[in-house]
Amino acid sequence: CNGMVNLARKRGVQQPPTTPLSAANFIDILRRYYAGSRLPMWSIQAYDPDSMRVIIDAFTAVSASNPKPLLVTEFGASAKLEVPGQDPVYNERHQADVLEGLWGLIEDNDAVTVGGCIMEWVDEWWKGNNFPDFAHDNCPDPR
């Protein structure tokens, strides 16, 4: 992400934000604070292509008269597909397709986006109770 922040600085951002804002509904924050904000850049975390598209479209519309860069600080997709009542299925091709689609949204909107950071690449399998430490097929036991 440091490279993305440096790119934002090259596009005119001179100082880090001093009053970060956070809310579950980014579009509400945009509508309420963008025009009067002194924040030099904005960021989002988006894991769903439809949500990311809506947010980028709203950001593009709001920022048209006063452009500021948008950094996607987290995006990703799990390879673990869960269907209620069934064992989880791991589908890395699906994961790659979603990641490519999300990155495509960032690239296609480079008039406002300055990049993104993949967060969920290693699948977060450790979060559930289904796998004890070091029990995942793709995790070597370093002990």
Side-chain angles (χ1 to χ4, degrees):
C1 284
N2 286 340
M4 298 300 114
V5 172
N6 289 336
L7 178 60
R9 287 188 179 133
K10 287 179 185 176
R11 289 188 174 184
V13 176
Q14 299 300 317
Q15 62 187 20
T18 56
T19 313
L21 300 171
S22 178
N25 191 332
F26 184 76
I27 295 172
D28 285 346
I29 287 288
L30 274 177
R31 290 184 182 131
R32 292 171 72 193
Y33 297 106
Y34 188 91
S37 169
R38 292 181 12 186
L39 295 173
M41 67 182 295
W42 289 68
S43 68
I44 61 168
Q45 298 172 353
Y47 288 85
D48 173 77
D50 294 331
S51 297
M52 185 186 285
R53 186 176 295 107
V54 168
I55 291 169
I56 289 175
D57 288 349
F59 187 86
T60 301
V62 169
S63 67
S65 63
N66 181 15
K68 296 179 184 181
L70 177 65
L71 175 64
V72 182
T73 54
E74 285 187 19
F75 73 99
S78 178
K80 183 178 179 182
L81 304 176
E82 296 190 65
V83 177
Q86 298 179 16
D87 288 336
V89 174
Y90 295 89
N91 186 331
E92 291 177 347
R93 180 72 255 159
H94 169 76
Q95 180 184 35
D97 290 344
V98 173
L99 289 172
E100 287 174 1
L102 290 167
W103 184 253
L105 286 169
I106 294 168
E107 272 189 327
D108 291 347
N109 292 282
D110 66 355
V112 294
T113 59
V114 292
C117 304
I118 294 177
M119 191 308 207
E120 190 173 359
W121 174 252
V122 293
D123 196 32
E124 298 189 26
W125 53 267
W126 64 88
K127 285 186 173 180
N129 294 324
N130 299 332
F131 299 104
D133 289 345
F134 306 110
H136 193 277
D137 293 343
N138 296 321
C139 182
D141 187 343
R143 293 180 276 184

